[in-house]
Amino acid sequence: MIIGVLKETLPGERRVALVPSACLQLSKQGHAVHVEQGAGLAAGFDDAAYQTAGAVVASRSEVIAAAATLIRVAVPSTAEIAEMRGGTSVVSYIYPKRHRNVLDALAAQGVNAFALDAMPRITRAQSMDVLSSQNNLAGYKAVVLGANALGRIFPLMMTAAGTVTPAKVLIYGAGVAGLQAIATAKRLGARIEVSDIRPETKEQVESLGGKFIMVEGLDKVNIEGGYVASVSPEILAKQKEAVEKSLVEADLVITTALVAGGTAPTLITAAQVGKMKRGSVIIDMATEAGGNCELSKPDETVEHNGVTIIGCNNLASSVPTHASELYAKNVTTFLAAVTKPEGFTFDLADEVVAATLVTYNKEVRA
Ligand code: NAD
């Protein structure tokens, strides 16, 4: 199978779907890789590195004409779907629940699409899970970004000029990104409090040195396949009340809360931001899904009453070298599981294929 890698076109997207070492791996699986000129430059991989790894480097139109499968990172735009050939397969982030128009366009174009973000949360698929690999990096970067935006430092410091108390960091959501944010903030010396509504996260938070903010009724939250599927307004109201004190006292707030691929819950209202300390910072990592703070804007920084609110759509892209390496590893593991040298198996009895194949034979399956 000829696998094509195009340069990402989404503004600010610096990752590339396959790195040179992954091209070598794929050739061992019996595939050939064609890469658009300059596709890896923003992530630190030049054309020569791909050629050394055995890939063909060509123009965009040549790659599209040759490839049976396109591997990409960002959700394809309708303009990009229009340039794909019917019968091609595409492997990408798609977020099918949020992008019905993308699914319709892919099906109409006759493109068979695999959404990597729809990977089932089963042990066998852990190494194919781009949400885990990318959100882990994003959680780290959120803390670094927050530390840089704060007018104070994280650790306790006792100096001849006086004692500096540790920064207070509040984290909403202890999934992959949140847990990495706890670990990173802890290493920098902050005091960390955490709110999540999946009860099992309490132990995980505590094992990393964070304090879990308990809310009554968490046993009633509907969890499906490791994700929060739904939560009642009553529990959200109780959570808001329980977290309020920590929010008002926090120096840095990082929000990562998502609900099963859909719209993110609003957890911090404008009125609550009004009660926060001047100089405090909110990093909202959920802006791509609508945001956890009422005032945050995707990829923008806004100020409200002396509080800086930074909306981050795509923090993984700000560490493109490691993000691309891990993404490419997820992709090669996925391809090893669902292809033969001549192409995809489209074996719907395989849980991984059934969950990720969102358009097939001109039909939307998601
Ligand atoms: P996610 O991105 O869907 O959500 C992020 C976090 O937000 C979750 O912890 C969720 O509980 C939390 N959240 C939702 N509503 C909230 C609210 N109102 N307030 C506070 N927090 C809220 O989740 P994720 O990071 O992708 O991971 C979810 C779980 O799945 C994790 O425990 C992770 O370890 C597990 N996981 C398993 C596999 C696998 O087995 N293959 C792969 C990846 C992740």
Side-chain angles (χ1 to χ4, degrees):
M1 178 165 73
I2 296 183
I3 294 171
V5 179
L6 301 177
K7 195 170 170 175
E8 296 291 321
T9 60
L10 184 75
E13 181 53 78
R14 293 164 64 198
R15 291 170 291 179
V16 60
L18 289 178
V19 299
S21 57
C23 299
L24 270 177
Q25 279 253 303
L26 289 168
S27 67
K28 282 186 201 146
Q29 289 174 23
H31 305 303
V33 184
H34 291 209
V35 181
E36 181 183 347
Q37 283 145 356
L41 279 180
F45 305 100
D46 62 15
D47 291 348
Y50 284 99
Q51 279 160 335
T52 307
V56 173
V57 175
S59 70
R60 187 174 186 87
S61 56
E62 284 166 338
V63 173
I64 292 171
T69 294
L70 294 169
I71 314 284
R72 15 176 326 118
V73 181
V75 179
S77 65
T78 37
E80 285 174 314
I81 295 167
E83 55 174 15
M84 294 175 190
R85 290 180 298 112
T88 307
S89 294
V90 67
V91 176
S92 180
Y93 268 105
I94 295 180
Y95 292 113
K97 285 196 180 165
R98 285 184 227 147
H99 298 119
R100 181 69 207 196
N101 60 330
V102 172
L103 293 183
D104 289 341
L106 286 163
Q109 191 75 1
V111 174
N112 301 318
F114 292 92
L116 288 173
D117 48 275
M119 195 64 69
R121 301 211 134 161
I122 52 175
T123 308
R124 179 167 72 88
Q126 240 163 2
S127 51
M128 311 172 197
D129 191 337
V130 294
L131 293 183
S132 294
S133 73
Q134 306 299 294
N135 290 347
N136 180 45
L137 295 174
Y140 160 85
K141 194 61 196 276
V143 175
V144 174
L145 196 65
N148 195 41
L150 273 179
R152 43 190 308 139
I153 63 165
F154 273 31
L156 168 76
M157 261 191 209
M158 291 182 194
T159 77
T163 297
V164 172
T165 54
K168 290 181 180 167
V169 176
L170 170 64
I171 297 174
Y172 285 83
V176 176
L179 290 175
Q180 184 55 254
I182 299 170
T184 306
K186 186 79 191 166
R187 283 199 289 271
L188 286 175
R191 278 201 195 130
I192 302 142
E193 292 191 275
V194 182
S195 174
D196 198 308
I197 52 170
R198 281 183 303 123
E200 66 265 35
T201 56
K202 179 175 187 292
E203 205 182 309
Q204 296 162 359
V205 167
E206 287 170 352
S207 74
L208 288 169
K211 182 179 165 224
F212 190 77
I213 303 169
M214 204 55 201
V215 179
E216 270 174 57
L218 292 191
D219 50 329
K220 295 191 191 78
V221 176
N222 181 11
I223 314 277
E224 278 171 22
Y227 291 99
V228 172
S230 62
V231 50
S232 67
E234 291 76 32
I235 291 185
L236 287 179
K238 279 188 186 159
Q239 180 195 21
K240 196 171 160 210
E241 199 186 316
V243 179
E244 178 103 355
K245 183 169 179 286
S246 310
L247 180 66
V248 170
E249 290 175 358
D251 297 302
L252 172 64
V253 179
I254 297 177
T255 72
T256 73
L258 291 175
V259 177
T263 307
T266 304
L267 301 176
I268 306 174
T269 61
Q272 284 178 302
V273 176
K275 293 186 205 164
M276 289 175 66
K277 292 197 300 198
R278 288 193 81 76
S280 58
V281 173
I282 300 175
I283 307 276
D284 188 339
M285 293 179 65
T287 46
E288 201 177 15
N292 291 140
C293 174
E294 216 167 59
L295 297 175
S296 59
K297 296 214 167 77
D299 284 337
E300 275 186 41
T301 298
V302 291
E303 296 269 340
H304 184 79
N305 265 357
V307 178
T308 305
I309 306 159
I310 306 176
C312 303
N313 265 3
N314 189 0
L315 279 178
S317 177
S318 70
V319 282
T321 307
H322 278 145
S324 302
E325 281 171 358
L326 299 181
Y327 189 93
K329 183 75 185 142
N330 294 143
V331 168
T332 51
T333 313
F334 171 71
L335 291 178
V338 301
T339 62
K340 297 201 160 111
E342 57 277 15
F344 284 94
T345 60
F346 294 112
D347 174 10
L348 294 172
D350 178 344
E351 204 177 345
V352 167
V353 176
T356 53
L357 185 60
V358 289
T359 62
Y360 185 44
N361 280 342
K362 296 204 155 222
E363 294 206 346
V364 173
R365 297 187 67 253

